Amino acid sequence: MSATVAIMRERFDPSRHGALLALAVILLFNLLVTPNFLQAQTLFVNISQVATIAIVAMGMTLVIATGGIDLSVGAIMALSGALAPLIFLSDFAAANPTLGLTASIVVPVFVALCCGIFNGVLVSFLNVQPIVATLIFFISGRGLAQVLTNGNLQTFTNPSFSYLGTGRVLGLPFQGWLVLLIALILYWVVTRSIFGRQLLAVGGNERAARLSGIPVHRVKIGAYVICAGLSGLAGLIVVAINSASDAARIGNLMELDAIAAAFVGGTLLQGGRAPIFGAILGAVIIQLVKYTLLANGIADEVALIAKAGIIIAAVYLQQARKE
């Protein structure tokens, strides 16, 4: 009898399934209280809003899995989002629409990947603390984006580019399918590839990983590059949704949302775990909390307090699971 009770407690242990329990509570509350929550438009809005958080959170999960952190994701989003309109509104793009559209996606993501290389080199080869290394682009990246745009809001009408943020596939937002595709790829990378095993080994015990012959430097750089590339892509999606680029606002506080989503999803700050779908679950919870407050007439500032409460709960559940 006692063995059966122990098994039941293990299955329904809140420390293991706290995020799912929180999601269920939020959904139930919205079903009972929030007006029009079941409408398709509400679903589309939440998918559009959560997509960018989820994309960045998945990249952040890989970085945290190595024992690091990346504060530059929001600034990289701003830089990527500022570059895209500059390219497809240029004379070159006007003369070569297809090449211009392709360049407006490829070039910003490539620049974001370069930012990731910079962060990774500082952390891995120069042994700079991750919070300090990524603080460089946290400060300068957004400033560079504002310099490129002269601090002006860039508005545009480009249906082909806007498809990234407003397109529909099988009736659902395109970026939602993009999140699913990225998640499946990263899940395979983490669970099936050599790089994924090395990533978790580095985060679990870096010294042991180095002694066993794992290329720790390359693994760390790879994690920061993937995170930066996904941040650049998220920046493009934000710009596509709004048909406008505001370097001062794109990705603002995204680093906090991404870290919170990864943490709520089960990522350990000391490294060694990379729950990709957990990061998406955390992003959904963060977004639904924000939406619930706004839909019920509560000020947006309160969402920051709610996020802090979610993080505190996640810390408690992780500590309970360790014990």
Side-chain angles (χ1 to χ4, degrees), residues 145-227:
Q146 290 177 300
V147 168
L148 290 174
T149 60
N150 294 317
N152 298 324
L153 174 68
Q154 301 178 91
T155 58
F156 59 86
T157 301
N158 190 321
S160 298
F161 181 83
S162 294
Y163 187 85
L164 280 174
T166 60
R168 295 282 189 270
V169 177
L170 300 178
L172 295 176
F174 169 77
Q175 62 267 43
W177 295 105
L178 186 60
V179 168
L180 179 59
L181 177 62
I182 294 171
L184 290 173
I185 293 173
L186 290 182
Y187 179 79
W188 181 88
V189 168
V190 170
T191 60
R192 295 290 185 269
S193 71
I194 295 175
F195 173 78
R197 297 189 187 96
Q198 293 175 341
L199 181 84
L200 300 181
V202 169
N205 190 322
E206 183 176 331
R207 185 170 181 273
R210 183 175 285 109
L211 292 175
S212 64
I214 292 176
V216 174
H217 294 326
R218 282 187 291 173
V219 170
K220 284 188 174 183
I221 292 175
Y224 282 94
V225 167
I226 293 173
C227 183

Coordinates of all heavy atoms in Angstrom, one line a residue, residues 145-227:
A145 N 21.8 49.8 -33.6 CA 20.5 49.8 -34.3 C 19.9 51.2 -34.5 O 19.4 51.6 -35.5 CB 19.5 48.9 -33.7
Q146 N 20.0 52.0 -33.4 CA 19.4 53.3 -33.5 C 20.3 54.3 -34.3 O 19.8 55.2 -35.0 CB 19.3 53.9 -32.0 CG 18.3 53.2 -31.2 CD 18.2 53.7 -29.8 OE1 19.2 53.6 -29.0 NE2 17.1 54.3 -29.4
V147 N 21.6 54.0 -34.3 CA 22.5 54.8 -35.2 C 22.1 54.5 -36.7 O 22.1 55.4 -37.5 CB 24.0 54.5 -34.9 CG1 24.9 55.0 -36.0 CG2 24.4 55.0 -33.6
L148 N 21.9 53.2 -37.0 CA 21.6 52.8 -38.4 C 20.3 53.4 -38.9 O 20.2 53.7 -40.1 CB 21.5 51.3 -38.5 CG 22.8 50.5 -38.3 CD1 22.6 49.0 -38.3 CD2 23.8 50.8 -39.5
T149 N 19.4 53.6 -38.0 CA 18.1 54.2 -38.4 C 17.9 55.7 -38.0 O 16.9 56.2 -38.2 CB 17.0 53.4 -37.7 OG1 17.1 53.5 -36.3 CG2 17.0 51.9 -38.1
N150 N 19.0 56.3 -37.5 CA 19.0 57.7 -37.1 C 18.0 57.9 -36.0 O 17.4 59.0 -35.8 CB 18.7 58.6 -38.3 CG 19.8 58.6 -39.3 OD1 21.0 58.7 -38.9 ND2 19.5 58.6 -40.6
G151 N 17.6 56.8 -35.3 CA 16.7 56.9 -34.2 C 15.2 57.1 -34.7 O 14.4 57.4 -33.8
N152 N 15.0 56.8 -35.9 CA 13.6 57.0 -36.5 C 12.9 55.7 -36.6 O 13.4 54.7 -36.7 CB 13.7 57.6 -37.9 CG 14.4 59.0 -37.9 OD1 14.2 59.8 -37.0 ND2 15.2 59.3 -39.0
L153 N 11.6 55.9 -36.5 CA 10.7 54.7 -36.7 C 10.6 54.4 -38.2 O 10.3 55.3 -39.0 CB 9.3 55.0 -36.2 CG 8.2 54.0 -36.5 CD1 8.5 52.7 -35.7 CD2 6.8 54.5 -36.1
Q154 N 10.9 53.2 -38.6 CA 10.8 52.8 -40.0 C 9.5 52.1 -40.3 O 9.2 51.0 -39.7 CB 12.0 51.9 -40.4 CG 13.4 52.4 -40.1 CD 14.4 51.4 -40.5 OE1 14.9 51.3 -41.6 NE2 14.8 50.6 -39.5
T155 N 8.7 52.7 -41.1 CA 7.4 52.0 -41.5 C 7.5 51.6 -42.9 O 8.2 52.2 -43.7 CB 6.2 53.0 -41.3 OG1 6.4 54.1 -42.1 CG2 6.1 53.3 -39.8
F156 N 6.7 50.6 -43.3 CA 6.8 50.0 -44.6 C 5.6 49.2 -45.0 O 4.8 48.9 -44.1 CB 8.1 49.2 -44.8 CG 8.1 48.0 -43.9 CD1 7.5 46.8 -44.2 CD2 8.8 48.1 -42.6 CE1 7.5 45.7 -43.3 CE2 8.8 47.0 -41.7 CZ 8.2 45.8 -42.1
T157 N 5.4 48.9 -46.2 CA 4.4 48.0 -46.7 C 5.1 47.0 -47.7 O 5.5 47.4 -48.8 CB 3.3 48.8 -47.5 OG1 2.7 49.8 -46.6 CG2 2.2 47.8 -48.0
N158 N 5.3 45.8 -47.2 CA 5.9 44.8 -47.9 C 5.3 43.5 -47.6 O 5.7 42.8 -46.6 CB 7.4 44.8 -47.6 CG 8.2 43.9 -48.5 OD1 7.7 42.8 -48.9 ND2 9.4 44.3 -48.9
P159 N 4.2 43.1 -48.3 CA 3.5 41.9 -48.0 C 4.3 40.6 -47.9 O 4.1 39.7 -47.1 CB 2.5 41.8 -49.1 CG 2.3 43.2 -49.6 CD 3.7 43.8 -49.5
S160 N 5.3 40.5 -48.8 CA 6.2 39.3 -48.8 C 7.0 39.2 -47.5 O 7.0 38.1 -46.9 CB 7.2 39.4 -50.0 OG 6.4 39.4 -51.2
F161 N 7.6 40.3 -47.1 CA 8.3 40.2 -45.8 C 7.4 40.1 -44.6 O 7.7 39.3 -43.7 CB 9.2 41.5 -45.6 CG 10.0 41.5 -44.4 CD1 11.2 40.9 -44.3 CD2 9.5 42.2 -43.2 CE1 12.0 40.8 -43.2 CE2 10.3 42.2 -42.1 CZ 11.5 41.5 -42.0
S162 N 6.2 40.8 -44.7 CA 5.3 40.7 -43.6 C 4.7 39.3 -43.3 O 4.1 39.1 -42.3 CB 4.1 41.7 -43.8 OG 4.6 43.1 -43.8
Y163 N 4.8 38.5 -44.3 CA 4.3 37.1 -44.2 C 5.0 36.4 -43.0 O 4.3 35.5 -42.3 CB 4.6 36.3 -45.4 CG 4.0 34.9 -45.4 CD1 2.7 34.7 -45.9 CD2 4.7 33.8 -45.0 CE1 2.1 33.5 -45.8 CE2 4.1 32.5 -45.0 CZ 2.8 32.4 -45.4 OH 2.2 31.1 -45.4
L164 N 6.2 36.8 -42.6 CA 6.8 36.2 -41.5 C 6.0 36.4 -40.2 O 6.0 35.6 -39.3 CB 8.2 36.9 -41.2 CG 9.4 36.4 -42.1 CD1 10.6 37.2 -41.9 CD2 9.7 34.9 -41.8
G165 N 5.3 37.5 -40.1 CA 4.5 37.9 -38.9 C 3.0 37.8 -39.1 O 2.3 37.7 -38.1
T166 N 2.5 37.8 -40.3 CA 1.1 37.8 -40.5 C 0.6 36.7 -41.4 O -0.6 36.6 -41.6 CB 0.7 39.2 -41.1 OG1 1.3 39.3 -42.4 CG2 1.0 40.4 -40.3
G167 N 1.5 35.9 -41.9 CA 1.0 34.8 -42.8 C 0.3 33.7 -42.0 O 0.4 33.5 -40.8
R168 N -0.5 32.9 -42.7 CA -1.3 31.8 -42.2 C -0.9 30.5 -42.9 O -0.8 30.5 -44.2 CB -2.8 32.1 -42.3 CG -3.3 33.3 -41.5 CD -3.4 32.9 -40.0 NE -4.1 34.0 -39.3 CZ -3.4 35.0 -38.7 NH1 -2.1 35.0 -38.8 NH2 -4.1 35.9 -38.0
V169 N -0.8 29.4 -42.2 CA -0.6 28.1 -42.8 C -1.6 27.2 -42.1 O -1.6 27.0 -40.9 CB 0.8 27.6 -42.5 CG1 1.0 26.2 -43.1 CG2 1.9 28.5 -43.2
L170 N -2.5 26.6 -42.9 CA -3.6 25.8 -42.4 C -4.4 26.5 -41.4 O -4.9 25.9 -40.4 CB -3.0 24.5 -41.8 CG -2.2 23.6 -42.8 CD1 -1.7 22.4 -42.0 CD2 -3.1 23.2 -44.0
G171 N -4.6 27.8 -41.6 CA -5.4 28.6 -40.7 C -4.7 29.1 -39.5 O -5.3 29.9 -38.7
L172 N -3.5 28.7 -39.2 CA -2.8 29.2 -38.0 C -1.6 30.0 -38.4 O -1.1 29.9 -39.5 CB -2.3 27.9 -37.2 CG -3.4 27.0 -36.6 CD1 -2.7 25.8 -35.9 CD2 -4.2 27.8 -35.6
P173 N -1.2 31.0 -37.5 CA -0.1 31.9 -37.8 C 1.2 31.1 -38.2 O 1.5 30.1 -37.6 CB 0.1 32.6 -36.5 CG -1.3 32.6 -35.8 CD -1.8 31.3 -36.2
F174 N 1.8 31.7 -39.2 CA 3.0 31.1 -39.7 C 4.1 30.9 -38.6 O 4.8 29.9 -38.6 CB 3.6 31.9 -40.9 CG 5.0 31.5 -41.3 CD1 5.2 30.4 -42.1 CD2 6.1 32.3 -40.9 CE1 6.4 30.1 -42.5 CE2 7.3 31.9 -41.3 CZ 7.5 30.8 -42.1
Q175 N 4.2 31.9 -37.8 CA 5.3 31.9 -36.8 C 5.1 30.8 -35.8 O 6.0 30.3 -35.1 CB 5.5 33.2 -36.1 CG 4.3 33.8 -35.3 CD 3.5 34.7 -36.2 OE1 3.2 34.4 -37.3 NE2 3.1 35.8 -35.6
G176 N 3.8 30.4 -35.6 CA 3.6 29.2 -34.7 C 4.1 27.9 -35.2 O 4.7 27.2 -34.5
W177 N 4.0 27.7 -36.5 CA 4.5 26.6 -37.2 C 6.1 26.6 -37.2 O 6.8 25.6 -37.0 CB 4.1 26.4 -38.6 CG 2.6 26.2 -38.7 CD1 1.6 27.1 -39.1 CD2 1.9 24.9 -38.5 NE1 0.4 26.4 -39.1 CE2 0.5 25.1 -38.7 CE3 2.4 23.7 -38.1 CZ2 -0.4 24.1 -38.5 CZ3 1.4 22.7 -37.9 CH2 0.1 22.9 -38.1
L178 N 6.6 27.9 -37.3 CA 8.0 28.1 -37.3 C 8.6 27.7 -35.9 O 9.7 27.0 -35.8 CB 8.4 29.5 -37.6 CG 9.9 29.9 -37.7 CD1 10.5 29.1 -38.9 CD2 10.0 31.4 -38.0
V179 N 7.9 28.0 -34.8 CA 8.3 27.7 -33.5 C 8.4 26.1 -33.3 O 9.3 25.6 -32.8 CB 7.4 28.3 -32.4 CG1 7.6 27.6 -31.0 CG2 7.6 29.8 -32.3
L180 N 7.3 25.5 -33.8 CA 7.3 24.0 -33.8 C 8.4 23.4 -34.5 O 9.1 22.4 -34.0 CB 6.0 23.5 -34.3 CG 5.7 22.0 -34.3 CD1 5.8 21.4 -32.9 CD2 4.4 21.6 -34.9
L181 N 8.7 23.9 -35.7 CA 9.8 23.4 -36.5 C 11.2 23.5 -35.8 O 12.0 22.6 -35.7 CB 9.9 24.1 -37.9 CG 11.0 23.7 -38.8 CD1 11.0 22.2 -39.2 CD2 11.0 24.5 -40.1
I182 N 11.4 24.7 -35.3 CA 12.7 25.0 -34.6 C 12.8 24.1 -33.3 O 13.8 23.5 -33.0 CB 12.7 26.5 -34.1 CG1 12.9 27.4 -35.4 CG2 13.9 26.7 -33.2 CD1 12.7 28.9 -35.1
A183 N 11.7 23.9 -32.6 CA 11.7 23.1 -31.4 C 12.0 21.6 -31.8 O 12.8 21.0 -31.1 CB 10.3 23.1 -30.7
L184 N 11.4 21.1 -32.9 CA 11.7 19.7 -33.3 C 13.2 19.6 -33.6 O 13.8 18.6 -33.3 CB 10.8 19.3 -34.4 CG 9.3 19.2 -34.1 CD1 8.5 18.9 -35.4 CD2 9.1 18.0 -33.1
I185 N 13.7 20.6 -34.3 CA 15.2 20.5 -34.7 C 16.1 20.5 -33.5 O 17.0 19.7 -33.4 CB 15.5 21.6 -35.7 CG1 14.8 21.5 -37.0 CG2 17.0 21.7 -35.9 CD1 14.9 22.6 -38.0
L186 N 15.8 21.5 -32.6 CA 16.6 21.6 -31.4 C 16.5 20.4 -30.5 O 17.5 20.0 -29.8 CB 16.3 22.9 -30.7 CG 16.7 24.2 -31.4 CD1 16.4 25.4 -30.5 CD2 18.2 24.2 -31.7
Y187 N 15.3 19.9 -30.4 CA 15.1 18.7 -29.6 C 15.9 17.5 -30.1 O 16.6 16.8 -29.3 CB 13.6 18.3 -29.6 CG 13.3 17.1 -28.7 CD1 13.2 17.1 -27.4 CD2 13.1 15.8 -29.4 CE1 13.0 16.0 -26.6 CE2 12.9 14.7 -28.6 CZ 12.8 14.8 -27.2 OH 12.6 13.7 -26.5
W188 N 16.0 17.4 -31.4 CA 16.8 16.3 -32.0 C 18.3 16.6 -31.7 O 19.0 15.7 -31.4 CB 16.6 16.3 -33.5 CG 17.4 15.2 -34.2 CD1 17.1 13.9 -34.3 CD2 18.7 15.4 -34.7 NE1 18.1 13.2 -35.0 CE2 19.1 14.1 -35.2 CE3 19.6 16.5 -34.9 CZ2 20.4 13.9 -35.8 CZ3 20.8 16.3 -35.5 CH2 21.2 15.0 -35.9
V189 N 18.7 17.9 -31.9 CA 20.1 18.3 -31.6 C 20.5 17.9 -30.2 O 21.5 17.3 -30.0 CB 20.3 19.8 -31.9 CG1 21.6 20.2 -31.4 CG2 20.2 20.1 -33.4
V190 N 19.6 18.3 -29.2 CA 19.9 18.1 -27.8 C 19.9 16.6 -27.5 O 20.8 16.1 -26.7 CB 19.0 18.8 -26.9 CG1 19.2 18.4 -25.5 CG2 19.2 20.3 -27.1
T191 N 19.0 15.8 -28.0 CA 18.8 14.4 -27.5 C 19.5 13.4 -28.4 O 19.7 12.3 -28.0 CB 17.3 14.1 -27.5 OG1 16.7 14.2 -28.8 CG2 16.6 15.0 -26.5
R192 N 19.8 13.7 -29.7 CA 20.3 12.7 -30.6 C 21.7 13.0 -31.2 O 22.4 12.1 -31.6 CB 19.3 12.6 -31.7 CG 18.0 12.0 -31.3 CD 18.1 10.5 -30.9 NE 16.8 10.0 -30.7 CZ 16.2 10.0 -29.5 NH1 16.8 10.5 -28.4 NH2 15.0 9.4 -29.3
S193 N 22.1 14.3 -31.2 CA 23.3 14.7 -31.9 C 24.5 14.6 -30.9 O 24.3 14.7 -29.7 CB 23.3 16.0 -32.5 OG 23.2 17.1 -31.5
I194 N 25.7 14.5 -31.4 CA 26.9 14.6 -30.6 C 27.0 15.9 -29.9 O 27.4 16.0 -28.8 CB 28.2 14.3 -31.5 CG1 28.1 12.9 -32.0 CG2 29.5 14.5 -30.7 CD1 29.2 12.5 -33.0
F195 N 26.7 17.0 -30.7 CA 26.8 18.4 -30.1 C 25.9 18.5 -28.9 O 26.3 19.1 -27.9 CB 26.4 19.4 -31.2 CG 26.3 20.8 -30.6 CD1 27.4 21.6 -30.4 CD2 25.0 21.3 -30.3 CE1 27.3 22.8 -29.9 CE2 24.9 22.6 -29.8 CZ 26.1 23.4 -29.6
G196 N 24.7 17.9 -29.0 CA 23.8 18.0 -27.9 C 24.3 17.3 -26.6 O 24.2 17.8 -25.5
R197 N 24.9 16.1 -26.8 CA 25.5 15.4 -25.7 C 26.7 16.2 -25.1 O 26.8 16.2 -23.8 CB 26.0 14.0 -26.1 CG 24.8 13.1 -26.6 CD 25.3 11.7 -26.8 NE 24.3 10.8 -27.4 CZ 24.2 10.6 -28.7 NH1 25.1 11.1 -29.5 NH2 23.2 9.8 -29.2
Q198 N 27.5 16.8 -26.0 CA 28.6 17.6 -25.5 C 28.1 18.8 -24.7 O 28.7 19.2 -23.7 CB 29.5 18.0 -26.7 CG 30.2 16.8 -27.3 CD 31.0 17.2 -28.5 OE1 30.7 18.3 -29.1 NE2 31.9 16.4 -28.9
L199 N 27.0 19.4 -25.2 CA 26.4 20.6 -24.6 C 26.1 20.3 -23.2 O 26.4 21.1 -22.3 CB 25.2 21.1 -25.4 CG 24.5 22.3 -25.0 CD1 25.2 23.5 -25.5 CD2 23.0 22.3 -25.4
L200 N 25.3 19.2 -23.0 CA 24.9 18.9 -21.6 C 26.1 18.5 -20.7 O 26.1 18.7 -19.5 CB 23.9 17.7 -21.7 CG 22.6 18.0 -22.5 CD1 21.7 16.8 -22.5 CD2 21.9 19.3 -22.0
A201 N 27.1 17.8 -21.3 CA 28.3 17.5 -20.6 C 29.0 18.7 -20.1 O 29.5 18.7 -18.9 CB 29.2 16.6 -21.4
V202 N 29.1 19.7 -20.9 CA 29.8 20.9 -20.6 C 29.1 21.6 -19.4 O 29.7 22.1 -18.5 CB 30.0 21.9 -21.8 CG1 30.5 23.2 -21.3 CG2 30.9 21.3 -22.8
G203 N 27.8 21.7 -19.5 CA 27.0 22.3 -18.5 C 27.0 21.5 -17.2 O 27.0 22.1 -16.1
G204 N 27.0 20.2 -17.3 CA 27.0 19.3 -16.1 C 28.3 19.4 -15.3 O 28.3 19.5 -14.1
N205 N 29.4 19.3 -16.0 CA 30.7 19.4 -15.4 C 31.8 19.8 -16.4 O 32.3 18.9 -17.2 CB 31.1 18.1 -14.7 CG 32.3 18.2 -13.8 OD1 33.3 18.9 -14.1 ND2 32.3 17.4 -12.7
E206 N 32.1 21.1 -16.5 CA 33.0 21.6 -17.6 C 34.4 21.0 -17.5 O 35.0 20.6 -18.5 CB 33.0 23.1 -17.5 CG 33.9 23.7 -18.7 CD 33.9 25.2 -18.7 OE1 32.9 25.8 -18.2 OE2 34.9 25.8 -19.1
R207 N 34.9 20.9 -16.3 CA 36.2 20.3 -16.1 C 36.3 18.9 -16.6 O 37.2 18.5 -17.3 CB 36.7 20.4 -14.7 CG 38.1 20.0 -14.4 CD 38.5 20.4 -13.0 NE 39.9 20.1 -12.8 CZ 40.3 18.9 -12.3 NH1 39.5 17.9 -12.1 NH2 41.6 18.6 -12.1
A208 N 35.3 18.1 -16.2 CA 35.3 16.7 -16.6 C 35.1 16.6 -18.1 O 35.7 15.7 -18.8 CB 34.2 15.9 -15.9
A209 N 34.3 17.5 -18.7 CA 34.1 17.4 -20.1 C 35.4 17.8 -20.9 O 35.7 17.1 -21.9 CB 33.0 18.4 -20.5
R210 N 36.1 18.7 -20.3 CA 37.4 19.1 -21.0 C 38.4 17.9 -20.9 O 39.1 17.6 -21.9 CB 38.0 20.3 -20.3 CG 39.3 20.8 -21.0 CD 39.7 22.2 -20.4 NE 38.9 23.3 -20.9 CZ 38.0 23.9 -20.2 NH1 37.8 23.6 -18.9 NH2 37.4 24.9 -20.7
L211 N 38.5 17.3 -19.7 CA 39.4 16.2 -19.6 C 39.0 15.0 -20.4 O 39.9 14.2 -20.8 CB 39.4 15.8 -18.1 CG 40.1 16.8 -17.1 CD1 39.9 16.3 -15.7 CD2 41.5 17.0 -17.4
S212 N 37.7 14.8 -20.7 CA 37.3 13.7 -21.6 C 37.5 14.0 -23.1 O 37.1 13.2 -23.9 CB 35.9 13.4 -21.3 OG 35.0 14.4 -21.6
G213 N 38.0 15.2 -23.4 CA 38.3 15.5 -24.8 C 37.2 16.2 -25.5 O 37.3 16.4 -26.8
I214 N 36.2 16.7 -24.9 CA 35.1 17.5 -25.5 C 35.6 18.9 -25.8 O 36.3 19.5 -25.0 CB 33.9 17.5 -24.6 CG1 33.2 16.2 -24.4 CG2 32.9 18.5 -25.1 CD1 32.1 16.1 -23.5
P215 N 35.4 19.4 -27.1 CA 35.9 20.7 -27.4 C 35.0 21.8 -26.8 O 34.0 22.3 -27.4 CB 35.7 20.7 -29.0 CG 34.6 19.7 -29.2 CD 34.7 18.7 -28.2
V216 N 35.3 22.1 -25.5 CA 34.4 22.9 -24.7 C 34.3 24.3 -25.4 O 33.1 24.9 -25.4 CB 35.0 23.1 -23.3 CG1 34.2 24.1 -22.5 CG2 35.0 21.7 -22.6
H217 N 35.3 24.9 -25.9 CA 35.3 26.2 -26.5 C 34.3 26.2 -27.7 O 33.4 27.1 -27.8 CB 36.6 26.6 -27.0 CG 37.7 26.8 -25.9 ND1 37.3 27.3 -24.7 CD2 39.0 26.6 -25.9 CE1 38.4 27.4 -24.0 NE2 39.4 27.0 -24.7
R218 N 34.4 25.2 -28.5 CA 33.5 25.2 -29.7 C 32.0 25.0 -29.3 O 31.1 25.5 -29.9 CB 33.9 24.1 -30.7 CG 35.1 24.5 -31.5 CD 35.4 23.4 -32.6 NE 35.9 22.2 -32.0 CZ 36.1 21.1 -32.7 NH1 35.8 21.0 -34.0 NH2 36.6 20.0 -32.1
V219 N 31.8 24.1 -28.3 CA 30.4 23.9 -27.8 C 29.8 25.2 -27.3 O 28.7 25.5 -27.6 CB 30.4 22.8 -26.7 CG1 29.1 22.7 -26.1 CG2 30.8 21.4 -27.4
K220 N 30.6 25.9 -26.5 CA 30.0 27.1 -25.9 C 29.7 28.2 -27.0 O 28.7 28.8 -27.0 CB 31.0 27.7 -24.9 CG 31.0 27.0 -23.5 CD 31.9 27.8 -22.6 CE 31.8 27.2 -21.2 NZ 32.6 27.9 -20.2
I221 N 30.7 28.3 -27.9 CA 30.5 29.2 -29.0 C 29.2 28.8 -29.8 O 28.4 29.7 -30.2 CB 31.7 29.3 -29.9 CG1 32.9 30.0 -29.2 CG2 31.4 30.1 -31.2 CD1 34.2 30.0 -29.9
G222 N 29.1 27.5 -30.1 CA 27.9 27.1 -30.8 C 26.6 27.4 -30.1 O 25.7 27.8 -30.8
A223 N 26.6 27.3 -28.8 CA 25.4 27.6 -28.0 C 25.0 29.1 -28.2 O 23.9 29.5 -28.4 CB 25.5 27.3 -26.6
Y224 N 26.0 30.0 -28.1 CA 25.8 31.4 -28.2 C 25.4 31.8 -29.6 O 24.6 32.7 -29.8 CB 27.0 32.2 -27.7 CG 27.2 32.3 -26.2 CD1 27.9 31.3 -25.5 CD2 26.5 33.3 -25.5 CE1 28.0 31.4 -24.1 CE2 26.6 33.3 -24.1 CZ 27.4 32.4 -23.4 OH 27.5 32.4 -22.1
V225 N 26.0 31.1 -30.6 CA 25.7 31.4 -32.0 C 24.2 31.1 -32.3 O 23.5 31.8 -32.9 CB 26.6 30.7 -32.9 CG1 26.1 30.7 -34.4 CG2 28.0 31.3 -32.8
I226 N 23.8 29.9 -31.8 CA 22.4 29.5 -32.1 C 21.4 30.5 -31.4 O 20.4 30.9 -31.9 CB 22.2 28.1 -31.5 CG1 23.0 27.1 -32.4 CG2 20.7 27.7 -31.6 CD1 23.0 25.6 -31.8
C227 N 21.8 30.8 -30.1 CA 20.9 31.8 -29.4 C 20.8 33.1 -30.1 O 19.7 33.7 -30.3 CB 21.5 31.9 -28.0 SG 20.4 33.0 -26.9

